[in-house]
Amino acid sequence: MAPRTDPARLPHLSRRSLLRAAGASGLALGAGGLLSACGGDSEAASSSGSGDGKSTTVKVALGWIKNVEFAGFWLADEKGYYADENLTVEFQAGGPNTPDPTQSVSAGSADLGVHANMQTLLQAIPKGNDFSLLGAVFQTSPGGLLSLTSDPVKEPKDLLGAKVLGQQGTQPLIDAILTSAGLKKSYDFTPVGYDVSPLVQKQGKAYTCFLTNQPITLETKYGMKKGKDYEVVTYSDLGLPSYSSIVFCKRTMLTGKADVLERFMRATIRGWQDNAKDPQAAAKLAVTKYGVDLGLELKQQVRENELQIPFTQSSLTKSKGLLRIDAGLLGGDMYDGLKAAGVKDLPDAAKIVDQTVLDAVFGKKATV
């Protein structure tokens, strides 16, 4: 699966380091304090903030660089939604040469994590990490395949006999798609980087990517249009549904700091609700403030945000609110896809998904 920001736009990050970071999944177990308060230790007194006026600091480990992928978090911070909840949130950037969020939360250097890779997060739990999944920003992972309209991939059978261009680590996904569809693993896999030009040059039929990223390159660099020149299909469409950008914490926080979690999630959801109304606002914040040192391009970040907003929505979020996780879907179709990809020792979905925090945030409504 490709990274969320094209490495070509980040010249100081080598593709080798990106690949190495994408493949990192080791865990460093350790102990550490959870939450600290400015000026000293303090407990949050209510959902509206602590009575003594001290702001509670929450450290959040992100699964990628500080780009527009985290749009709702930036808006919640910039608009003062966290401050309204008497929280001070410190975001720790992810990406090349940074710890995986599971490592940071396990070691206590972060209170919460936002993980892009559901499989990596789930596989960390049987290794001794008692994590709880609080919500998922992306109801459908933006991971998928690009193909040219002249020879499209729209369903699993279209991969039979095809040459698939993919990044390191994506071949098991193609195997799982075919296995889940009851088809033979009859295709050729060619390793490529994050440059989509091999697909344009018809060196292969399909190209693994993040659908909020490489399609932008096809549009801006090659003047292509979706439906006319190129096609996109998510892994979910091909039978491998998956959540992405999953917010998680240690289970101990649910008993010791439940009010802080509720305040954080309420403010975060307000930010994501705002983002759906104005994709440009968070893109500007990513370029000028949160990711100012990354050399991000505003036009690209706006377009990426426009493309990712639909992935934050589902029938469940429409009825019960953003970030909701369906434990039945996770333990059912999503686990079936992971098992088809050879993943073993998955935790009980019903035991790791927490519904209480978002139930407290939304009540019987679908907005906050």
Side-chain angles (χ1 to χ4, degrees):
M1 186 177 295
R4 275 66 69 192
T5 295
D6 190 341
R9 302 180 184 280
L10 301 172
H12 57 292
L13 302 182
S14 69
R15 285 195 175 96
R16 179 175 297 178
S17 64
L18 285 163
L19 288 170
R20 184 167 58 249
S25 59
L27 297 179
L29 300 178
L34 285 175
L35 301 170
S36 60
C38 298
D41 295 336
S42 73
E43 291 287 336
S46 69
S47 63
S48 61
S50 56
D52 59 10
K54 294 181 180 179
S55 178
T56 301
T57 297
V58 180
K59 298 179 180 180
V60 182
L62 304 176
W64 191 239
I65 59 175
K66 293 183 178 181
N67 66 355
V68 78
E69 178 177 337
F70 305 102
F73 297 97
W74 305 152
L75 289 173
D77 191 38
E78 183 70 12
K79 291 190 173 186
Y81 296 158
Y82 292 127
D84 290 346
E85 300 288 350
N86 210 10
L87 299 176
T88 299
V89 181
E90 297 179 0
F91 293 103
Q92 302 170 2
N97 304 316
T98 64
D100 187 87
T102 56
Q103 293 177 308
S104 299
V105 175
S106 177
S109 57
D111 307 302
L112 294 164
V114 183
H115 212 298
N117 191 314
M118 185 181 78
Q119 177 180 329
T120 300
L121 174 57
L122 292 172
Q123 289 185 295
I125 295 174
K127 295 179 180 178
N129 295 282
D130 196 11
F131 294 149
S132 290
L133 282 53
L134 306 179
V137 174
F138 296 125
Q139 297 291 293
T140 299
S141 172
L145 298 176
L146 274 179
S147 60
L148 301 181
T149 303
S150 59
D151 189 15
V153 172
K154 296 184 177 181
E155 52 187 326
K157 68 178 183 180
D158 295 332
L159 291 168
L160 293 175
K163 178 177 286 187
V164 178
L165 308 169
Q167 296 80 35
Q168 179 176 306
T170 57
Q171 187 169 2
L173 296 172
I174 308 302
D175 289 346
I177 289 169
L178 294 171
T179 299
S180 296
L183 300 172
K184 294 182 178 180
K185 292 182 282 188
S186 176
Y187 69 98
D188 291 324
F189 185 85
T190 301
V192 295
Y194 302 108
D195 182 356
V196 75
S197 61
L199 177 66
V200 178
Q201 297 165 4
K202 299 184 179 181
Q203 295 178 22
K205 180 174 182 175
Y207 175 91
T208 64
C209 71
F210 229 66
L211 301 184
T212 54
N213 188 332
Q214 276 80 4
I216 302 175
T217 303
L218 293 181
E219 294 171 356
T220 58
K221 184 176 180 179
Y222 297 99
M224 293 184 172
K225 294 183 179 180
K226 180 182 176 182
K228 178 183 177 183
D229 304 298
Y230 75 89
E231 306 293 334
V232 298
V233 61
T234 66
Y235 292 131
S236 178
D237 293 332
L238 295 170
L240 294 182
S242 176
Y243 289 117
S244 186
S245 284
I246 300 172
V247 182
F248 69 99
C249 67
K250 288 182 179 179
R251 186 177 299 276
T252 53
M253 286 194 69
L254 291 172
T255 54
K257 298 290 182 179
D259 61 318
V260 175
L261 293 175
E262 179 184 339
R263 286 150 53 194
F264 174 83
M265 293 298 278
R266 178 167 46 244
T268 297
I269 287 166
R270 289 179 67 189
W272 280 105
Q273 288 177 171
D274 287 357
N275 187 59
K277 301 173 185 176
D278 181 11
Q280 294 192 23
K284 291 179 180 178
L285 288 173
V287 172
T288 63
K289 183 176 180 180
Y290 297 94
V292 66
D293 296 328
L294 298 174
L296 302 172
E297 297 177 5
L298 180 58
K299 184 176 180 180
Q300 187 275 340
Q301 290 287 280
V302 171
R303 182 58 177 148
E304 181 174 337
N305 202 13
E306 291 172 344
L307 290 173
Q308 75 181 4
I309 287 173
F311 290 105
T312 67
Q313 302 164 351
S314 66
S315 58
L316 182 61
T317 64
K318 291 178 181 177
S319 62
K320 292 193 173 183
L322 295 177
L323 274 71
R324 288 285 192 172
I325 293 180
D326 183 339
L329 175 61
L330 175 64
D333 290 349
M334 292 187 181
Y335 272 21
D336 288 344
L338 289 173
K339 292 173 183 176
V343 178
K344 300 178 181 179
D345 197 19
L346 291 167
D348 186 337
K351 293 182 179 179
I352 62 172
V353 175
D354 173 76
Q355 308 283 2
T356 63
V357 173
L358 290 187
D359 283 347
V361 168
F362 287 109
K364 295 182 179 181
K365 301 182 297 181
T367 59
V368 295

